[in-house]
Amino acid sequence: MYTQECLKVFDHDFSYLAQGVIVPYGIYDVSKNQGFVVIGTSKDTSEFVCDCIRLWWNQMGSKQYPKASSILALADGGGSNSARHYIFKEDLQKLVDELGIEIRMAHYPPYTSKWNPIEHRLFPYVTKAMQGVILKSYQTVKDLVGKVKTKTGLRVRAEIMDRVYQTGRAYADDFKENMTILFDDHLGKWNYRAVPGKPKQESYF
């Protein structure tokens, strides 16, 4: 968006001067070269992450993969979907119980997230789309992200998640005893499966 008008903006990003915050969360489908970016308006929490996955699955994933029995998610090791935090695992467990489909998490170890395909196949183009633009509204961000495309076929869909999320939540006292999170024998702290319901004759990490 170009203009000859002189626009005044702050030269630093101070949250108290803003009218809102933008919390982007991206999902990238490697096989179809499709991006799904959710624009949050609250906090980057594990509950927000799981809501983003739910939204992608309901709007795109379940229609494109109607016979799928599991989802493989490559994710960073920290942040709102941290491999160390059981609050994320609890929210993930609730999600798979609701969707009825297994989600396998493969977290990248610390300092290796740059190898995640989403880092160089989706986010650079999303960042470029907003370069030099004054982000005055959530709709502006959605419109810019939704127009992202490349010569190699990348297409991106954007949605706004206007919901307030609480920080500092703790997982339930009995979650570890009742969870159906199955940790791999090899590097189980980074690789595990969240399966719907409690499987029989399975051992936990």
Side-chain angles (χ1 to χ4, degrees):
M1 296 185 295
Y2 299 95
T3 179
Q4 294 182 345
E5 179 185 356
C6 180
L7 301 177
K8 293 183 179 181
V9 297
F10 295 108
D11 63 347
H12 284 74
D13 184 16
F14 295 111
S15 58
Y16 73 92
L17 295 174
Q19 296 180 355
V21 297
I22 295 173
V23 185
Y25 190 85
I27 297 174
Y28 176 67
D29 187 329
V30 177
S31 63
K32 294 186 179 297
N33 196 20
Q34 292 180 344
F36 187 85
V37 177
V38 179
I39 302 159
T41 63
S42 179
K43 302 290 184 179
D44 186 16
T45 68
S46 62
E47 192 176 16
F48 170 63
V49 170
C50 290
D51 279 350
C52 293
I53 298 174
R54 177 188 294 104
L55 188 62
W56 167 80
W57 178 251
N58 289 335
Q59 292 194 5
M60 295 183 66
S62 61
K63 298 177 178 61
Q64 295 175 334
Y65 304 99
K67 297 182 180 180
S69 58
S70 65
I71 299 171
L72 170 63
L74 308 179
D76 290 351
S80 51
N81 47 219
S82 174
R84 298 181 294 106
H85 296 163
Y86 273 87
I87 185 62
F88 170 64
K89 293 179 176 64
E90 183 177 43
D91 288 335
L92 186 66
Q93 182 69 69
K94 294 176 182 177
L95 177 62
V96 299
D97 286 344
E98 175 190 334
L99 299 182
I101 187 171
E102 172 188 301
I103 296 181
R104 167 175 280 280
M105 295 299 305
H107 291 276
Y108 283 81
Y111 310 110
T112 64
S113 61
K114 66 179 181 180
W115 300 110
N116 193 334
I118 197 173
E119 296 292 345
H120 47 88
R121 296 185 185 179
L122 175 62
F123 287 149
Y125 304 105
V126 171
T127 301
K128 186 177 180 180
M130 294 186 288
Q131 186 175 6
V133 179
I134 301 174
L135 306 177
K136 292 186 175 181
S137 69
Y138 297 115
Q139 188 62 45
T140 297
V141 178
K142 178 183 177 181
D143 292 342
L144 291 171
V145 176
K147 293 179 181 178
V148 171
K149 60 182 180 180
T150 66
K151 293 180 180 179
T152 56
L154 172 66
R155 295 295 183 272
V156 180
R157 178 170 178 173
E159 296 291 344
I160 298 174
M161 181 74 72
D162 190 13
R163 176 184 171 187
V164 176
Y165 291 93
Q166 178 185 351
T167 58
R169 296 167 54 238
Y171 62 87
D173 293 336
D174 61 346
F175 172 66
K176 287 186 177 181
E177 290 73 26
N178 299 318
M179 68 178 181
T180 56
I181 304 290
L182 308 179
F183 296 86
D184 290 6
D185 293 333
H186 182 63
L187 298 177
K189 65 179 179 179
W190 293 321
N191 302 288
Y192 52 87
R193 294 181 295 135
V195 298
K198 193 168 184 177
K200 297 180 180 179
Q201 298 180 346
E202 292 275 13
S203 60
Y204 300 120
F205 181 79

